[in-house]
Amino acid sequence: MQTVAVIDYGMGNLHSAAKALEHVVPAGMKVQVTSDEKVIHSADRVVLPGVGAIRDCMAEIKRLGVDELVKDVVKSKPLMGICVGMQVLLEHSEENGGVDCIGLLPGHVSYFGRDLYEGDEHLKVPHMGWSRVKQSEHTLWSGIDDESRFYFVHSFYAQCPRRELVAGTCRYGVQLDAALTRDNLFAVQFHPEKSAKAGLQLLGNFLRWQP
Amino acid sequence: MGLAKRIIPCLDVDNGRVVKGVQFVDIRDAGDPVEVARRYDEQGADEITFLDITASSDDRETTVHTVEAIASEVFIPLTVGGGIRTVDDIRTMLNAGADKVSINTAAVFNPEFVREAAEKFGSQCIVVAIDAKKVSQPGEDDRWEIFTHGGRKPTGLDAVDWAKKMEELGAGEILLTSMDQDGVKNGYDLGVTRAISEAVVIPVIASGGAGNLDHLVDGIVKGKADAVLAASIFHFGQHTIPEAKAYMADRGVEMRL
């Protein structure tokens, strides 16, 4: 039996991600929410979710050795980061006065600020709701129309200087990176588990992905 | 190409059934919450809000099971409110599959609870519900006050100041219900909706009083809300979500179609 491990490092809501994965999981594969290093190492693919403050997330990730774990597993199996689970894969976030992150992807995470504008419109922060994602060519977008809307909730956004690693962008006052990819890694700022059909399609594609 | 405004159908749930009262009386049965939630998801609702209005706390178990059942089938954001008083209440609902919780009376009696909740679970999942009623007299400057107990008890708290305070304490979103309008279908109180939307940087959901599709448009365009919440107009077949979205989009509101 193939398994997909959802890494539980004690932060926030893993249930939504696990339930959505269970909804699209192919026959012969099972979803396991776990913090057990052995289970994660033996899984066929791995999901790193995350919500809440990044300092707390990184503290738990380091305490549990999840940083070394994800660096290791991504060498040999598909890994998906979601929301803060994407942000922690970059080098650094300015949230909570500045937090060093795992650094699997080049780039930084910045605050939208309270004076975020699109034209004359003063934008709300957090960026909460359904925004369009402009796709770059990637097999995980199969069956999803370009510029489909996904559900976002975040006050900090990622930007990667290596544009060839950007799989999707989104405009919200600034141009932000909504999806980043590198070898076995695919990470998204939005919540595919809360993005109705488009999100479920992306999760299903991830479960079948052979990078 | 911006952020879509959201339509959020609201399920007021009493003893495991969706109900909708007109100003908290004349309760009508609107079905099984899981079926109703699934129907709205299929229709393209942007989120779902589940308000537990069960009077006694004996039926928390029922609520938890219902939330679990909805979360297993519905893959859009789910907010759960009603009786959220402690960190454990929040954890229980998030573990059951809620994405956000809505804190109402507990915030009024203990504002620090909002800070504690936001620090523990992140602002993104903390919605503060504000029940506001207009207290100014005709001819005076508009003023709205926070009420509790279904709009019966005034608190003396200014609604706009209160919203700002909730934002400072870490609320991620405001669910603003204008009590004098709720269930009477005369439209949202656009004055208080706009005043609060412009006073805070976090998103505001307009609630209370939507009786037709123009009310939804007005909530966004005139009230400057980021989302509109409605119950009766969807529960009893007066309108579907796609009808509402098409109507709003035709009037220049950006929607997820």
Side-chain angles (χ1 to χ4, degrees):
Chain A
M1 162 99 48
Q2 290 219 342
T3 60
V4 50
V6 179
I7 302 181
D8 178 2
Y9 53 100
M11 290 301 297
N13 192 353
L14 309 164
H15 302 270
S16 293
K19 281 179 171 172
L21 287 163
E22 276 160 13
H23 195 74
V24 294
V25 75
M29 194 188 287
K30 73 171 183 208
V31 179
Q32 279 189 301
V33 175
T34 180
S35 56
D36 186 332
E37 202 170 318
K38 285 196 200 100
V39 174
I40 295 164
H41 268 297
S42 64
D44 299 281
R45 48 196 78 227
V46 175
V47 173
L48 181 67
V51 295
I54 201 160
R55 182 185 50 207
D56 297 347
C57 281
M58 274 312 300
E60 282 307 287
I61 281 172
K62 284 190 174 154
R63 192 177 69 81
L64 297 167
V66 170
D67 47 349
E68 296 307 317
L69 187 61
V70 298
K71 282 183 191 168
D72 202 29
V73 299
V74 77
K75 290 175 190 160
S76 59
K77 56 193 81 171
L79 172 74
M80 177 178 265
I82 298 175
C83 195
V84 178
M86 160 173 160
Q87 296 183 352
V88 295
L89 297 174
L90 281 86
E91 293 168 287
H92 183 265
S93 170
E94 69 175 42
E95 188 175 358
N96 305 129
V99 175
D100 286 329
C101 299
I102 297 172
L104 272 174
L105 291 164
H108 297 270
V109 179
S110 315
Y111 182 43
F112 279 120
R114 293 176 62 93
D115 295 311
L116 187 67
Y117 283 86
E118 193 76 77
D120 293 339
E121 191 187 355
H122 188 192
L123 301 180
K124 296 300 181 86
V125 175
H127 171 211
M128 183 184 287
W130 300 80
S131 283
R132 294 185 188 277
V133 173
K134 177 93 190 106
Q135 304 169 0
S136 305
E137 183 72 26
H138 196 284
T139 180
L140 285 202
W141 297 122
S142 303
I144 304 168
D145 289 341
D146 191 15
E147 302 201 356
S148 290
R149 289 183 188 273
F150 290 88
Y151 188 83
F152 288 80
V153 186
H154 60 129
S155 298
F156 292 80
Y157 65 95
Q159 282 179 320
C160 174
R162 295 260 311 270
R163 302 312 288 167
E164 73 276 17
L165 304 182
V166 177
T169 59
C170 171
R171 177 92 208 152
Y172 191 69
V174 296
Q175 180 92 350
L176 63 96
D177 292 337
L180 295 169
T181 186
R182 182 180 216 171
D183 306 319
N184 292 331
L185 172 62
F186 196 89
V188 290
Q189 176 63 66
F190 53 83
H191 288 272
E193 75 279 16
K194 288 287 139 187
S195 294
K197 285 196 187 77
L200 293 175
Q201 177 76 32
L202 183 71
L203 292 175
N205 290 346
F206 172 72
L207 295 180
R208 290 173 185 80
W209 188 27
Q210 305 291 345
Chain B
M1 180 173 131
L3 182 67
K5 301 299 179 186
R6 292 169 278 154
I7 293 186
I8 308 177
C10 179
L11 282 49
D12 296 279
V13 179
D14 185 15
N15 285 312
R17 299 291 290 178
V18 180
V19 295
K20 186 61 200 174
V22 176
Q23 285 186 321
F24 295 90
V25 291
D26 184 25
I27 304 278
R28 290 168 73 182
D29 186 282
D32 169 60
V34 182
E35 276 172 34
V36 174
R38 197 192 296 128
R39 184 171 78 229
Y40 290 140
D41 180 32
E42 281 164 9
Q43 287 186 8
D46 297 308
E47 295 189 22
I48 288 174
T49 289
F50 178 110
L51 290 182
D52 180 13
I53 60 165
T54 309
S56 74
S57 53
D58 306 347
D59 286 312
R60 295 304 277 178
E61 279 300 301
T62 313
T63 303
V64 170
H65 291 314
T66 309
V67 170
E68 278 173 354
I70 293 174
S72 307
E73 295 189 44
V74 170
F75 301 103
I76 54 175
L78 174 64
T79 300
V80 177
I84 303 288
R85 294 184 188 91
T86 66
V87 162
D88 279 343
D89 292 336
I90 298 175
R91 189 177 292 115
T92 300
M93 287 309 167
L94 295 180
N95 285 344
D99 300 290
K100 312 182 207 178
V101 293
S102 169
I103 301 172
N104 186 346
T105 313
V108 175
F109 294 122
N110 178 18
E112 282 299 314
F113 176 49
V114 173
R115 187 199 300 279
E116 189 189 356
E119 280 176 1
K120 193 130 204 134
F121 302 101
S123 292
Q124 82 291 331
C125 69
I126 305 300
V127 182
V128 171
I130 293 181
D131 295 343
K133 216 185 233 188
K134 196 169 191 170
V135 291
S136 51
Q137 300 300 315
E140 293 178 0
D141 286 347
D142 285 342
R143 211 177 78 78
W144 301 269
E145 210 171 277
I146 304 292
F147 279 68
T148 60
H149 299 84
R152 291 191 306 277
K153 288 195 183 170
T155 62
L157 298 163
D158 179 81
V160 178
D161 291 344
W162 182 251
K164 286 197 240 179
K165 181 171 179 182
M166 293 297 104
E167 175 180 38
E168 277 166 27
L169 289 173
E173 196 171 31
I174 300 281
L175 168 55
L176 172 65
T177 303
S178 30
M179 299 303 296
D180 29 352
Q181 312 279 343
D182 193 35
V184 295
K185 298 189 169 189
N186 289 332
Y188 306 112
D189 182 328
L190 299 174
V192 70
T193 305
R194 182 167 187 146
I196 289 180
S197 290
E198 290 180 340
V200 298
V201 74
I202 55 178
V204 173
I205 305 165
S207 159
N212 62 44
L213 300 182
D214 284 316
H215 292 156
L216 304 184
V217 175
D218 288 346
I220 301 286
V221 174
K222 295 180 184 163
K224 303 286 178 192
D226 302 282
V228 284
L229 182 139
S232 315
I233 64 167
F234 298 127
H235 291 341
F236 302 110
Q238 185 184 343
H239 293 290
T240 64
I241 305 279
E243 270 170 34
K245 287 192 165 186
Y247 189 88
M248 294 169 79
D250 282 349
R251 280 149 191 82
V253 180
E254 183 159 356
M255 304 299 296
R256 178 177 70 105
L257 299 171

